[in-house]
Amino acid sequence: MDANTQQKLNDLLRAHGMTEDILDLPAMTHAFLSQMRIALYGGKTSIPILPTFLKPFGALAEDRPVAVAELDDREVRVSLVTFSQGTPVLSDQAAFPIPGREYPAPLDDLLYAAAELLEPLLDRARAVAVCLPFPVDYDSKGDGAIRRFPGTMTVTEYEGKPVLTALKAQLADRDLPDLPMVLVSEPDAVLAAAGVDSPRQDRYLGLVWDSNIDAGFVAPGSIVLRWLAIPGHLMLFDGGFSSAECVPFSMVDYPKDRDSYAPGEDLYLKMVSTEYLGDTFRLMMIKAAERKLLTFGCSRDVLSLTYLDLDALIDFLNDPVHGGTMAHFCREPEDREVGIAVANAVLDRAARLVCANLSAVLQFINGGRDPEKPVCIGLWGDALRYAPVRKALERHLETFTRDVLGHHVTLCAGEEMPAVGSAAVALYNI
């Protein structure tokens, strides 16, 4: 790439917040941390820090199967999880498309689907765990109501409705046993699964990054100053970060936001979610075409696109010559150079934002200051299965979180982490 084109490309990336001097990691970390503290004091903030009242650690009872129901924005999944010498064994797995995504549905329809799938498991289960990626207001008595659903879903009749009470009613209608139940947030389940997979670490965090973005952590209940008489023992917290608005939205993000389910809301989610990253790349390539950084043929093809998913972006990065739609559009070497640079910048911006999010939580809990006692971060989600995304996040956790802030971390990823962690939390709390 010649110097003139490189300068024009740098100007494009800077104008749309894709460079490190615009998206400053220390400033972003401070912004997330400030929002967390405001939430705990009871002030107005876009990040609700949600105490779960659940114990984060305990004994994994041997041969006590837990029936786990996971409800996300795509499907209802169930499994029977049993621990043997600390190793989880999953069986009887089944899934069903989640009501409320393809068509509007009340909360009871979602729980009806969960009850249908759970029914064959309950003759062997000793407890039930319900795992949700949605923010939940817990009632300190073991139940909670879903605060809101993502824009990809249309669910009604859920406001203020205790989830476990409603599920128990569904199971009672089938004359099924009344088993102990726990309600677990997905990032906290991932945190607990990291504890099962890598025991005896000093501290743990959980990160979920796919169509949603959230982090869970452990802290004393007494940090929630807005909640009088909250128990002071260590408990799991859900960060509720998907609704964060303390992020540097750029001109390339506004079209997505304008056409979204909730303009002006969930800005952080719209910058890092797997639902949006591919289309951010498409919009950036349109901006590159407008600045005449692409050949006429490539510009024409890019302008014909109305949507691009993350898989297409990753295919292009993995094989810029033969990797799907964008490789076909970027036939000329100069187009490929620009396309690769823009794709990497889009993913790197998302990784920097997530790194700032995690760094803020690490600063909040003051974890990982001793290199010999790093914080173990459990990782889960589609975004982290893409090598370019995972490598970008790992790089920023090393060069910024460790080298600049002095927080040391290890990363833990595994199969079925939400199910395993939910079962573990159930055993810790029944």
Side-chain angles (χ1 to χ4, degrees), residues 115-184:
E116 283 282 303
L117 292 176
L118 283 170
E119 184 171 356
L121 282 58
L122 296 189
D123 60 339
R124 288 158 289 160
R126 304 289 293 276
V128 175
V130 179
C131 181
L132 300 175
F134 321 120
V136 171
D137 288 310
Y138 290 83
D139 62 8
S140 80
K141 299 176 183 178
D143 208 341
I146 296 171
R147 176 174 286 208
R148 65 192 185 96
F149 282 87
T152 52
M153 299 181 69
T154 304
V155 180
T156 59
E157 300 175 28
Y158 68 88
E159 294 91 344
K161 190 170 188 175
V163 173
L164 297 185
T165 300
L167 178 59
K168 286 182 178 182
Q170 293 277 357
L171 297 175
D173 288 343
R174 294 168 171 77
D175 296 322
L176 295 171
D178 183 15
L179 297 174
M181 286 190 184
V182 295
L183 186 62
V184 188

Side-chain angles (χ1 to χ4, degrees), residues 292-366:
K292 303 190 184 308
L293 285 165
L294 304 174
T295 62
F296 174 79
C298 183
S299 297
R300 178 195 58 207
D301 291 339
V302 165
L303 290 168
S304 72
L305 284 173
T306 57
Y307 179 76
L308 194 74
D309 61 23
L310 181 57
D311 283 332
L313 187 162
I314 297 296
D315 287 344
F316 174 58
L317 281 179
N318 289 338
D319 186 355
V321 177
H322 302 103
T325 300
M326 290 309 301
H328 177 68
F329 288 177
C330 297
R331 293 179 291 274
E332 302 300 328
E334 56 267 37
D335 294 326
R336 283 198 292 272
E337 281 190 285
V338 171
I340 291 169
V342 170
N344 282 321
V346 168
L347 298 183
D348 192 65
R349 182 183 72 156
R352 288 201 304 277
L353 283 167
V354 175
C355 174
N357 184 174
L358 290 173
S359 298
V361 178
L362 288 164
Q363 286 202 322
F364 180 78
I365 67 172
N366 197 32

